[in-house]
Every structure is written in structure tokens, then in C-alpha cells.
Amino acid sequence: MSTEAAPTEAMSNLNITSKGTAKRDALRANEVAVQQKWEEAKAYESDPDATKESFLVTFPYPYMNGVLHIGHGFSLTKAVFRAQFERHRGKNVLFPFGFHCTGMPIQAAANKLKAEIANYGLPPAFPEDDPAVRAEMERKAAEEAAAKAKAAQSNDKKAKGGKTKLVAKTGTGIVRQWTILKKMVPEEIISEFVDPNKWLSYFPPIGVDHLKKFGAGVDWRRSFITTAVNPYYDAFIRWQFNTLRKKGKVLFGKRNNIYSLLDGQVCADHDRSEGEGVGPQEYVIIKLRVLEFPGKLAALEGRDVFLAPATLRPETMYGQTNCFVLPEGKYGAYEMENGEVFIISERAARNMSCQGYTSEFGKVTCLVELTGTELLGLPLSAPNATYERVYTLPLLTISMGKGTGVVTSVPSDAPDDYVSLKALQDKPEFREKYGITAEMVEPFQVVPIIEIAGYGDASAVFMCEKLKIKSFNDKAKLAQAKDETYLKGFNFGVMTYGPHKGKKVCDAKPIIKQEMIDANQACLYFEPESKVMSRTGDECVVAATDQWYLAYGEESWAKAVREHIFSESFTAYDETALGKYDYTVGWLKEWACTRQFGLGTQLPWDEQWVIESLSDSTIYMAYYTIAHHLQGEDNLDGSKDSPAAIDAADLTDEVFDFVFNNADMPADSKVDATMLEKMQKEFRYWYPMNLRVSAKDLIPNHLTMALYNHAAIWDDEPGMWPRGYYTNGHVLVDAEKMSKSKGNFLMLNETVEKYSCDATRFACADAGDTIDDANFSRETADSAIVSLSNEMAWIKEVLDSKDSLRTGDDLNFMDKVILNETRRLVKLTEESFESMQFREGLQKGWFEMLNARNQYRSWCSISDVPMHKDLIMTWIESVIVLICPVCPHWSEMQWTAIGKNGLAVKATWPDVGEEDKLLTRQALFLRKALPHFRSLQGKAKKGCNKGSVLVKDSYPQWKVDTLTWMRSQYDSSNSEFPASFMGDLKKWAMSLPDKKMMKNIMQFASFMRNEAKEVGLQALELSLPFDQKSILVDSEQYLKSQLELEEISIFNLDTDENIPEIPDRIRDNVTPGKPYLYMHA
């Protein structure tokens, strides 16, 4: 009877297709078989083991409004690779994985689909389906895009092509939810997705399937989805927030937040389609009273009417000389609740209506519509200004998407203002074009108000003259001048005008701001730092709303998090990332943690609110440690029976307090006490989390918030706080941003099917490891298919011919080298993987391992010496494990092929002994000699077909002196020279009697410094600790073959006798460690 397992559905459905994909198909077939093997062996299910050190690694659960793409896969591999590496090191590794469904994205998509069906039928017949209608829509979209590009060019912004990104995608500029779903689900069931819960039941299981095909190595017993649909996770989040409230971390009050008027609620990062990470920006609106009411403004005469510019620098208002508007800009006279009228942009009015300035929240009353041209020449009274009357002037670079569209002018300290005012003063024809008279500009000179050391009392004038800025079209120079004057002014400026004369600007600014507000000359105004779009297509505002919020700005809380970040208990793996955490702690103050609708968990004590998606995802790593008891495998929503027979309704706060916070055993709990104790022990075994892997864009929100929440929930146990965060950059595909229009938007499952799982993972490993953007190369994935297939074939060839290989203890030089190279590269690969440098690990553990084998194989073949069986099998076993974190399916197949028991993913890291540094140096000597010989051979004269290899044991005196000096400068503890090495070397060389040798000394020292970087201090020895000639003699046959020479002689110029005549110029080129090939007839 056959004992083979029945093929899985995945194996049965595997497409083995065209002859051009045979290698790929073979890899895929093996991957499917290996994954079935892992599943049967429960290879990645991890339970506590007191004999092993635990290692918990997690990855932010992806949002389930679609299927996973290569961007997910790239970031995920960092966690997957490290998890597998730690398994090889003997640790008990837990890698769980969940799926996020909380928030607005799914709800918004379901609502949009529902509206499409209601408006266009089922299936929808969209207007653009009609060719004529589509053509007209495309024409209009192209016109709008062209106008937008032209406007961008006029403002010196990056201009786009004739079509926007949206138009390029759809042809019409319209994105239909039906069309998006049609690419992911069968058309006949699309209508079911009007129910947001359909998304929760449909996409997460697909996520599980695709991650299994990716070989993610997950303990799937611990997987779950979020939201109240899952009663177990819902209970956990309710406990978390009850605990935060008890600790005083959740408060209620009116706060300024990014807000969607369309959605009617705060719009957090995960609810946005554009503007993630953008927060509210505070401005001060200055009230410039309108003194005359010409034209349309006549209707407002008798009222308090103000042009209302928004500024970040209220302390500079003493220097106002005029006000600017955009001539073609659209403005309105908007009525405020107190009866005042502000002339501002519609966008600014919309923001102000949400900040308590209008009679009704979110509603504006426009009394008069105006253009900027209609405001030009308008006389104003500017508060704090030295001029009694100033005028409204044109400025062509104003952005109507920033501030209020009105700009107050302080030319003493604002370079843009100075240049623009100067242009109107110096060019009569320019100002007359806009109806501006000489009286409106010529009397208004710069008013010095702030003294900055080195910049004078008019820093803007100083910088414009210094940088030779002549026009407001000198954008780059103006930006430089603005940044410098603003920074210097705030930090080092001193007020020279007004009642606060003599005070530092940084001290005077808040005082002046408050004085102006108290005098009704100004008011606060907030808007998003940059454009924010909700997933429902609404441009967001800043609104002051009643809100439950997490008080992240609490001093003691922030202090605890910052101290942890910089402690030895936490690693960020990157100094730049560490700085970003510190910066986030500095600005993260109050976070709106609830919404009034959307998917999620209701706030336990105020159920009209739903906990938002960045707040229910901060300590769920702890939930993983017990999820397999509560839910178990294939029970993502918790609707099936609990493996531990636990009813979600019985998961009280007291139960979670006991499990996670070491509280007393709950007296009346319906959960079995033995199970409670087991869950408590499991949590304590796995926690703290050793590593969390994420893309860098989560640093300003999720990752930092997770630190805060751990610090709050386990405030008396810092030992439970996360131990490490690794963040990577975004991934490009073939050096370009992923885009459907470019054809390089790669879905994860499709990429696996096209290139195989291991080749995809190989390309991910090679893509890069820094916080900067990485590059997934499809060419690398193709090359990986070939490389893995070739190595598989070679290993089979070795196994089939093992009996012809050499055995015994008599090792030649190259035998020793291949073993030593294996030892060296095993260690370097380990160091690379431990520091999350997987590209470097791939370089050492695969490419350099193959190079070492190739050299050994070539040497043996040419020298007519069989490879050594034990050594080559050691190499094979080692390379199988070294590449296993990256290509586990390939390793699993080879592990079985070489006759090893058990699973490759459970194999221990190679224990091959310590590297012999001297032998490494000897091997490097031989490896570098050959290309050097080839170079010399290529320069030989015609007819020179014989070669003499020359070596020397000793240096000339000037090199001895140089090496002696270098040894005195070398820091052995850090294995490096000081940063000032080259400068110090030059000074030392200049002190020598023979100045003519300086060039030679500098070149020699530079070369030897590089040698020392590779092999350490021994590179600077005055004589070599090995016999150069002996190494070359052992490889004589190899050298002759590689150089294609019939005859080769090897001489030691210091010790050999009867050496043929060698020219002095040749002898001078021979130094210890650098042999020379002398070509002659």
C-alpha cells in the first residue's frame, strides 16, 4: 500500500506549461510539494518550550480591502527571513499573522459600490461604457489635466503630462468600485460586496492562501480578523481601552483634528487615500480692516470687513507694508458668527466653519463673490503696522490651496515679500497692468523689526542681495533665503521694534500672538499641513470636535517611551529610523481614537463611538500569544467553536487582567482556571516581542503608538515592551514606482506563479535593506530561477558521482581554502542576517559561497585532482541552510536529496569551525594574483609568450617605514584607521627627507589601508607570514591553464638562486603579497 500523501488542491491545480518555463515549473512543483510537507508536519506551529529561548516576530496585519501585492511581500520577507534564521539558531520562533478590517476603507468602498448599483443598475451600465460619451469624458479630462499642468508650470511646480495619473489609469478620470472588484472577484458576486461584512469573509481567507503559497512560515492557528465581527478580538480591544481609561490615558474634549465633512467624522491616517501622516497646522489670522468699499464691496459698507491673511509669524506684523492677493484667485466675503466679514478663499472658509467661527458647523455664508483683481488697490488698516494705511497688491505665486489665499507682506524678514514689493516699485509698467499707482507702493520702505547677528536688521534684504535674487521667479534661491531667514530669525533674532524690543523672537512670538488675539486683531486658524483626501473622495479640513482621544502628549508617558527608545532594551536597526521615532514622540500629542461610524469595536463606556483603526492595533501582538486557544485555525472571525471551549462573552476584563497583567485569578470566571493559567504562562513565555517589521511609513503612527500603548498597559513592567523595530523603505519594481499603467504593479500571488516562490523571495532579498526605497528586479527573479535550478542540477551531479570523489585526511592547499571559505562565509552570513542585512547575507551565503565553490571546482578540474568528498558535502550542507531563510523550498528539496532526516527549516545553523584568518589571507593572495597576472599579460609585447612569476619576502626601506607608521595609527580595538588618516599621512610624508617619494608613499599607504580593511592588522606586517612561492607552485597547473601559457616559472627574488636576468624596473614592481608576472620571449 502506498504511503504517499494525496496531492493538495494547489498541487492538482498547478499549471506546468510552456517549454520555456521548465525550470520555473520544476521549482513551483517542488514548492507545492514542500508546502504540503510542512503542513502535514505542522512545521510552523510553535508552543512554549522551556528548554528553548523564545523569539516572537510580528508584522503589521494588512488591510483587507483587496489582495496582497509585492509591496506587502517585500516588507514581509524581512520578518520571514529573520524568523527562519532564528529557527536555525535553535530558538523557538513564533511568527503569527492577522488581518485588519477596522475603519473606513471597507465601509467607504461598500457604500460606493452600493451607490453605483443604485445609480447605474445591476450590472452597472456606466456612462463611459458608451464610446461617444467616453470620448467626450476623455477630452474633458485631458483638458483639465493640461490646464492643471499649465498652472503648475506657472507656479514653478512639477508639471505633469497631458493626463493625470487617474486619467492614465481609467481613460476618463473616473474610478469605479465595480471595476476594481471585477479584477479581484467573480463578477456574479460583486453585488454582495455592498455589505461590508462580505469583504471580511472574502478577502482574509485569500490572504491566508496567498501567504501560504509565499512560504510565509506562519502559525495559522493564531490568525484572526479585527472588528466586532470577531467577538474574541472585540473583547480584547474592549479590555485594552478600559485599561487605558483606568490609567487616565483616554480623555474627552474638543480637539482639532483632520476631518471629513462628507463622512462626518475625524479622518485618521488609514482612512485617507492621500495625505497619510499629515496633521493640523496652526496659523494666526491677521485682521486687515477694509477702509473703502468700491464695486461689489459697496454691499458690505458699514460692516466690519477684513482681508484675513494666515501667518506663521505674528511677531513680524510691525513690519507690514502691504497685503497680497492672487489676481486670478477666487475669493469670497464670508460672514462669521460674531458678525465680522472675512475676505478669504472658499477653502479657508470651509476650514473656519469647522472651528467655531460660523453660526453652523460646516456651513459657510458667502455674502459677495470676488476675484483677486477686484481687491487690488484696496486700502487697509493693518494691526501693529507702522504705516497707517497699506494697500492690496498683486502676487502671482500665491497658492490658493494653502492658507487663506491672502498674504500679508513683511519685506524686512520675508524674502518673497521683499522681491515682490521691489518689482512693483521698480517696474511702473508691471504695476500699471494691475491698476496699482505709485502712491500705493513707492512710499512703503522696509521697516527693520528684528536684528539677527550676521544678517543685520533686515534679513530678507540681506539674503536677497547675498544670493543675487532679482525676481520672484528665482524660486530655488528664494526658498533657500526663506528657510535661512526664518530659522535664524526664530532661534537667534532679537526684536528691535515695538513694546517687546530687546526680547528674543522665540520668547516674544507667543506673547505678541496672544496680545493680538486678546485685542481682537487676530484669531487662530487651523488647516491640514498639506492636502488630505478621505477614501470617500472628500478633501479634508481641520475641525474642532468633541472627541475621545489618547493623551500621547502627557509628559511622563512620552518620557517613558523616549527613554525606552534610547535604551539598550530597544533596537531600531538604523540611526535614521531611531531619529524618526524620537521626532514622532516629540510631536505626537493628542490622538482622536474614535469615530462615529465605520467598522471596529465600540468604545465600551460610550457605544456611540467606534475605536478607529490605528488605535485598535497597538498591542494585538499580545493577543497572538493566546489566540490559538480562543479561536484556532480556520476560524478567522471566531464564529466556530473555540479550541479551549471558551465563550467570548466570558472574556471579562478580569480574565484579561489575569492573563496579561498578573492580576488575581478572577473568582467567578466561567473560563477554566487551568486554561487561564496556561494562557498566562504562554503570554509570559513569548513576551516581550523581539522584533516587529514594517515599512517606514508606520513610524509616525502605528509603530510609535504601539510603544506608547505597551508602556501604558504594562507601565510597571518595562520588560514587556517591544525589543526591536525594523523598518524598510518602499519597494520599486524595476527602478520605477509600481503602477498599473506602467505594467509593473505586481500582485503577490501572480508574482509567485510567474517566477516561483523562492525566486520571488530571492529578488526581495536582493532588493535592499535600508530605510531608503528598494528595487525589486524582475530580471533578478528570472536569474534566480536559473541559479537555483543550476545548483540543484550540480548537487545531483555530485551525489551521482560521490564515489569518484577524493577522501582521506591529506588536504591540499585548495582543500583547506574551500573549508576555510565555508567557515568565513557562514559567519558573515550569520552576522548579516542578525543585523537584518539580507542583501548582504545573500551576497555572502549564496553568491560568494558559489564563487568559492566555483574556484575550488575549477582548480581541481584543471589540476586533475578530484574534489574532496567530505569538504564538498560540508559546503553543500552549509549552503542549503544558509539560503534556507530566503529560499526554503529549494533548501527543503536539497536537504532530502542529500539524505538528511527531518526538515531543512528545522536544521541547525552550520557548525563548521572558526575561520583561519591567515589562510583567508593566503587564499586572497592567490585570488587577487590571477586577475593581476591577466592584466600584466595583456600589456606584454607581441612575441612574449613565456611567463615568470616573481615574488618577494621583504619591502624596500621606504615601505618598511610607511608600514611602521601605519601600524602606529591603526586602532586594533575597532579594526580601523582614524578618520584623519590621509591628512595625517600627508603630514608625516612631508616630514621625510626625500620629498620625491611622497607620491609613492601616498599610493602605497592607500593600497595597504584597503588591504587592512579586508584582513586586519596582519596586512601591515613587515614580512608575510606565509610562503608565497609555495602557494603559487601548488597552483602552477591552474595558473598555466587560466593564463593559457605552455610554460611558467616561479621565482622568489629574495631567496632563489640562478634567477634569469630580470630588469630592475620589473624587480621594483614586486612587493610582498603582490606577485608580478614577467612576460618574456
Side-chain angles (χ1 to χ4, degrees):
M1 180 183 291
S2 172
T3 58
E4 289 187 12
T8 62
E9 182 181 357
M11 180 176 280
S12 301
N13 293 336
L14 186 66
N15 290 320
I16 306 298
T17 55
S18 66
K19 61 182 180 181
T21 62
K23 290 181 177 180
R24 188 276 315 272
D25 295 339
L27 291 176
R28 280 297 294 131
N30 170 65
E31 288 165 359
V32 171
V34 165
Q35 287 166 10
Q36 182 176 349
K37 184 176 183 180
W38 286 338
E39 192 137 341
E40 291 168 354
K42 302 184 185 300
Y44 297 112
E45 292 185 7
S46 303
D47 294 305
D49 182 345
T51 66
K52 289 185 176 183
E53 180 183 348
S54 68
F55 191 88
L56 172 59
V57 55
T58 65
F59 181 81
Y61 40 30
Y63 199 76
M64 284 290 99
N65 58 346
V67 295
L68 303 174
H69 54 67
I70 197 63
H72 293 109
F74 169 71
S75 294
L76 177 66
T77 57
K78 308 301 182 186
V80 173
F81 295 165
R82 182 64 184 274
Q84 185 52 48
F85 168 64
E86 295 296 344
R87 287 188 192 96
H88 290 311
R89 298 174 93 188
K91 293 181 183 177
N92 190 15
V93 176
L94 174 59
F95 181 43
F97 203 95
F99 299 93
H100 206 193
C101 304
T102 304
M104 279 299 297
I106 289 175
Q107 182 73 62
N111 291 348
K112 188 175 181 182
L113 179 65
K114 187 175 183 179
E116 289 175 359
I117 293 173
N119 292 330
Y120 302 109
L122 182 64
F126 297 117
E128 62 269 24
D129 294 343
D130 183 314
V133 173
R134 182 180 182 86
E136 178 62 14
M137 294 174 76
E138 288 179 348
R139 185 189 64 77
K140 288 182 178 180
E143 285 179 357
E144 291 173 5
K148 185 177 180 181
K150 184 177 180 181
Q153 280 181 317
S154 67
N155 287 327
D156 198 40
K157 295 177 182 176
K158 184 178 179 182
K160 297 182 180 180
K163 288 190 176 184
T164 64
K165 179 180 178 182
L166 201 57
V167 176
K169 281 183 178 180
T170 67
T172 64
I174 298 176
V175 177
R176 304 294 190 186
Q177 189 61 54
W178 181 280
T179 307
I180 293 172
L181 283 168
K182 193 174 178 180
K183 297 174 182 177
M184 297 187 288
V185 304
E187 188 170 12
E188 61 269 19
I189 66 168
I190 292 179
S191 61
E192 297 176 25
F193 286 82
V194 297
D195 178 2
N197 289 330
K198 176 65 178 180
W199 302 67
L200 276 59
S201 63
Y202 188 84
F203 286 115
I206 291 176
V208 172
D209 179 62
H210 289 182
L211 288 170
K212 285 183 177 181
K213 290 178 180 176
F214 194 54
V218 170
D219 184 345
W220 291 111
R221 301 174 301 161
R222 302 171 188 268
S223 296
F224 57 86
I225 63 169
T226 65
T227 76
V229 167
N230 180 355
Y232 295 96
Y233 189 73
D234 187 62
F236 173 75
I237 296 302
R238 291 169 70 88
W239 164 77
Q240 176 191 351
F241 268 76
N242 280 332
T243 304
L244 289 170
R245 191 186 186 202
K246 288 175 188 175
K247 294 175 182 283
K249 306 301 184 185
V250 186
L251 304 175
F252 188 80
K254 196 173 288 291
R255 292 294 181 272
N256 288 300
N257 291 292
I258 306 296
Y259 187 91
S260 167
L261 280 167
L262 179 62
D263 297 340
Q265 63 180 2
V266 171
C267 186
D269 278 6
H270 287 179
D271 302 328
R272 304 173 189 177
S273 62
E274 179 183 343
E276 187 168 343
V278 173
Q281 171 70 62
E282 179 188 283
Y283 291 88
V284 178
I285 280 184
I286 308 299
K287 300 180 182 181
L288 306 184
R289 183 179 292 275
V290 176
L291 299 178
E292 296 178 6
F293 297 85
K296 291 182 180 178
L297 290 174
L300 302 176
E301 192 161 7
R303 302 194 62 166
D304 292 327
V305 182
F306 304 93
L307 261 70
T311 181
L312 297 170
R313 305 195 67 194
E315 76 281 5
T316 66
M317 293 303 102
Y318 302 108
Q320 292 177 93
T321 59
N322 60 280
C323 176
F324 288 122
V325 295
L326 182 68
E328 66 267 29
K330 294 181 179 179
Y331 297 87
Y334 293 93
E335 186 173 42
M336 301 293 115
E337 186 176 25
N338 62 2
E340 295 177 343
V341 178
F342 282 7
I343 297 177
I344 52 179
S345 66
E346 189 276 335
R347 175 185 164 279
R350 194 164 173 259
N351 270 277
M352 295 191 76
S353 73
C354 298
Q355 296 167 28
Y357 289 107
T358 58
S359 57
E360 187 176 352
F361 181 87
K363 302 293 184 183
V364 297
T365 301
C366 182
L367 303 176
V368 180
E369 292 183 354
L370 300 154
T371 64
T373 300
E374 292 170 316
L375 299 171
L376 294 177
L378 200 64
L380 308 165
S381 174
N384 282 0
T386 57
Y387 294 103
E388 186 176 334
R389 174 180 289 220
V390 299
Y391 292 90
T392 307
L393 305 178
L395 181 60
L396 307 183
T397 57
I398 289 176
S399 168
M400 298 300 287
K402 194 77 173 172
T404 63
V406 181
V407 177
T408 188
S409 173
V410 184
S412 60
D413 290 81
D416 292 271
D417 296 350
Y418 172 71
V419 169
S420 300
L421 178 60
K422 197 91 167 60
L424 289 164
Q425 290 173 335
D426 296 346
K427 299 176 180 179
E429 71 284 355
F430 174 63
R431 67 180 182 241
E432 288 168 4
K433 175 183 174 183
Y434 293 99
I436 303 300
T437 65
E439 293 75 20
M440 295 176 183
V441 292
E442 288 182 351
F444 298 92
Q445 300 303 309
V446 170
V447 180
I449 57 172
I450 294 172
E451 176 78 30
I452 307 173
Y455 293 77
D457 59 4
S459 59
V461 179
F462 172 82
M463 285 301 297
C464 287
E465 291 175 351
K466 176 184 175 182
L467 298 177
K468 297 181 173 56
I469 300 172
K470 301 297 183 184
S471 162
F472 48 71
N473 291 320
D474 293 336
K475 299 299 182 185
K477 289 182 179 180
L478 278 170
Q480 178 186 344
K482 177 181 177 180
D483 291 343
E484 194 166 330
T485 54
Y486 281 26
L487 182 65
K488 297 290 184 182
F490 180 77
N491 291 318
F492 305 107
V494 176
M495 301 297 300
T496 62
Y497 191 94
H500 301 288
K501 180 179 179 179
K503 288 181 180 176
K504 293 179 67 175
V505 170
C506 57
D507 296 328
K509 178 175 180 174
I511 299 172
I512 295 170
K513 177 179 79 171
Q514 194 57 50
E515 286 177 350
M516 294 188 74
I517 292 172
D518 293 343
N520 198 32
Q521 297 171 334
C523 61
L524 293 181
Y525 166 71
F526 295 84
E527 68 178 31
E529 294 166 316
S530 59
K531 188 176 181 180
V532 176
M533 297 296 295
S534 74
R535 290 185 181 271
T536 50
D538 183 34
E539 182 172 356
C540 294
V541 297
V542 170
T545 59
D546 287 330
Q547 184 62 245
W548 289 102
Y549 63 92
L550 286 158
Y552 289 133
E554 179 195 307
E555 187 176 347
S556 61
W557 199 5
K559 181 173 180 287
V561 172
R562 179 173 274 113
E563 288 177 352
H564 179 65
I565 289 169
F566 288 103
S567 74
E568 292 185 0
S569 299
F570 180 82
T571 179
Y573 293 93
D574 183 279
E575 285 299 319
T576 301
L578 188 64
K580 289 179 181 291
Y581 292 116
D582 185 35
Y583 176 76
T584 303
V585 172
W587 70 258
L588 187 60
K589 301 301 179 187
E590 295 163 350
W591 184 264
C593 58
T594 55
R595 304 289 177 267
Q596 291 192 301
F597 64 91
L599 303 178
T601 292
Q602 291 177 306
L603 198 64
W605 61 89
D606 191 353
E607 294 193 350
Q608 66 176 312
W609 298 93
V610 176
I611 298 168
E612 60 90 32
S613 61
L614 278 166
S615 298
D616 80 337
S617 56
T618 54
I619 64 164
Y620 68 89
M621 313 85 185
Y623 183 78
Y624 281 133
T625 66
I626 64 170
H628 59 310
H629 295 305
L630 302 181
Q631 296 182 229
E633 191 168 5
D634 194 27
N635 189 19
L636 294 173
D637 62 1
S639 60
K640 299 179 181 178
D641 291 342
S642 164
I646 296 173
D647 190 325
D650 297 332
L651 293 175
T652 62
D653 286 357
E654 291 75 21
V655 165
F656 286 123
D657 283 339
F658 174 79
V659 172
F660 295 119
N661 274 338
N662 264 349
D664 294 336
M665 173 74 74
D668 301 321
S669 177
K670 295 181 180 179
V671 182
D672 179 68
T674 303
M675 178 52 65
L676 286 176
E677 289 174 346
K678 184 174 184 179
M679 289 193 293
Q680 183 189 69
K681 288 178 181 177
E682 290 210 26
F683 166 68
R684 299 258 151 202
Y685 176 80
W686 293 115
Y687 245 57
M689 175 174 57
N690 301 86
L691 175 66
R692 187 156 181 80
V693 171
S694 167
K696 63 183 177 183
D697 53 354
L698 294 190
I699 292 177
N701 42 61
H702 163 72
L703 291 173
T704 306
M705 291 175 183
L707 291 173
Y708 271 92
N709 280 264
H710 277 82
I713 300 296
W714 292 280
D715 51 358
D716 58 347
E717 286 191 275
M720 291 290 145
W721 303 359
R723 287 290 173 261
Y725 281 171
Y726 172 87
T727 50
N728 54 262
H730 299 130
V731 66
L732 307 176
V733 173
D734 297 333
E736 290 189 301
K737 186 176 180 180
M738 281 202 297
S739 166
K740 291 184 176 70
S741 63
K742 292 177 182 177
N744 71 339
F745 197 95
L746 306 181
M747 305 313 294
L748 181 60
N749 196 52
E750 292 172 359
T751 308
V752 167
E753 292 299 336
K754 183 170 184 178
Y755 298 105
S756 82
C757 173
D758 281 346
T760 299
R761 291 167 58 126
F762 191 103
C764 285
D766 190 60
D769 299 301
T770 70
I771 202 168
D772 297 323
D773 288 349
N775 180 46
F776 179 91
S777 167
R778 287 180 280 192
E779 183 178 349
T780 298
D782 273 327
S783 298
I785 294 172
V786 176
S787 183
L788 292 168
S789 300
N790 288 350
E791 288 310 307
M792 177 170 61
W794 180 79
I795 290 173
K796 184 178 186 305
E797 183 182 310
V798 169
L799 296 174
D800 290 343
S801 60
K802 273 200 302 185
D803 293 342
S804 66
L805 299 181
R806 185 163 42 92
T807 58
D809 298 331
D810 187 15
L811 304 182
N812 60 43
F813 174 71
M814 289 304 292
D815 288 338
K816 295 174 184 176
V817 167
I818 186 62
L819 177 59
N820 196 56
E821 279 295 278
T822 301
R823 289 169 171 168
R824 182 179 73 88
L825 293 170
V826 163
K827 180 64 175 175
L828 290 176
T829 305
E830 181 177 18
E831 292 173 355
S832 297
F833 284 172
E834 187 173 30
S835 59
M836 303 293 288
Q837 297 301 302
F838 299 108
R839 185 178 191 176
E840 185 67 14
L842 185 68
Q843 184 67 31
K844 302 300 180 187
W846 184 255
F847 292 112
E848 290 191 26
M849 279 287 281
L850 265 55
N851 286 343
R853 186 278 317 276
N854 291 345
Q855 187 179 22
Y856 176 64
R857 179 176 60 183
S858 176
W859 188 95
C860 289
S861 175
I862 291 169
S863 303
D864 199 23
V865 176
M867 293 185 296
H868 194 287
K869 177 181 175 181
D870 293 341
L871 299 182
I872 209 64
M873 288 307 298
T874 296
W875 182 92
I876 289 173
E877 289 179 27
S878 297
V879 82
I880 288 172
V881 178
L882 295 187
I883 198 62
C884 191
V886 178
C887 303
H889 308 85
W890 183 90
S891 292
E892 203 67 71
M893 179 168 57
Q894 302 315 303
W895 193 250
T896 300
I898 65 173
K900 290 291 183 178
N901 295 322
L903 299 174
V905 293
K906 298 290 187 178
T908 57
W909 194 253
D911 183 9
V912 290
E914 292 295 318
E915 172 198 4
D916 181 340
K917 295 284 187 182
L918 177 58
L919 186 53
T920 297
R921 191 174 177 189
Q922 292 172 301
L924 186 62
F925 164 79
L926 180 61
R927 191 158 55 247
K928 285 189 171 183
L930 189 56
H932 181 51
F933 292 166
R934 288 197 181 106
S935 174
L936 294 170
Q937 187 181 30
K939 298 175 184 177
K941 293 181 180 178
K942 191 173 182 180
C944 295
N945 53 11
K946 295 180 181 178
S948 293
V949 177
L950 312 175
V951 300
K952 266 188 181 180
D953 294 330
S954 59
Y955 290 102
Q957 189 57 47
W958 69 269
K959 288 187 176 179
V960 171
D961 294 340
T962 302
L963 289 171
T964 301
W965 179 84
M966 290 179 69
R967 289 175 67 87
S968 72
Q969 303 297 304
Y970 190 76
D971 183 352
S972 297
S973 60
N974 294 319
S975 300
E976 62 184 10
F977 289 100
S980 60
F981 174 77
M982 292 307 291
D984 296 340
L985 172 66
K986 189 173 183 180
K987 290 178 184 177
W988 175 78
M990 290 178 68
S991 70
L992 300 176
D994 190 353
K995 301 294 188 294
K996 294 179 181 178
M997 292 300 296
M998 183 165 172
K999 182 179 179 181
N1000 291 338
I1001 289 172
M1002 297 294 289
Q1003 289 177 341
F1004 174 67
S1006 179
F1007 172 77
M1008 295 310 295
R1009 181 179 65 166
N1010 291 334
E1011 291 286 298
K1013 283 182 180 178
E1014 290 197 40
V1015 299
L1017 184 61
Q1018 59 184 342
L1020 307 179
E1021 292 168 350
L1022 301 183
S1023 61
L1024 292 182
F1026 58 85
D1027 187 340
Q1028 302 168 81
K1029 182 178 177 180
S1030 175
I1031 293 172
L1032 295 169
V1033 168
D1034 282 350
S1035 298
E1036 183 176 341
Q1037 186 64 35
Y1038 178 69
L1039 292 173
K1040 283 198 296 185
S1041 174
Q1042 290 294 303
L1043 297 171
E1044 297 181 349
L1045 291 174
E1046 293 182 7
E1047 183 179 334
I1048 194 169
S1049 303
I1050 302 170
F1051 299 102
N1052 187 320
L1053 297 181
D1054 289 334
T1055 61
D1056 286 353
E1057 299 177 357
N1058 301 322
I1059 300 173
E1061 185 175 343
I1062 308 292
D1064 288 343
R1065 63 179 178 79
I1066 299 298
R1067 286 176 173 266
D1068 290 342
N1069 280 315
V1070 186
T1071 59
K1074 192 172 182 182
Y1076 193 94
L1077 177 66
Y1078 173 45
M1079 295 298 298
H1080 52 89

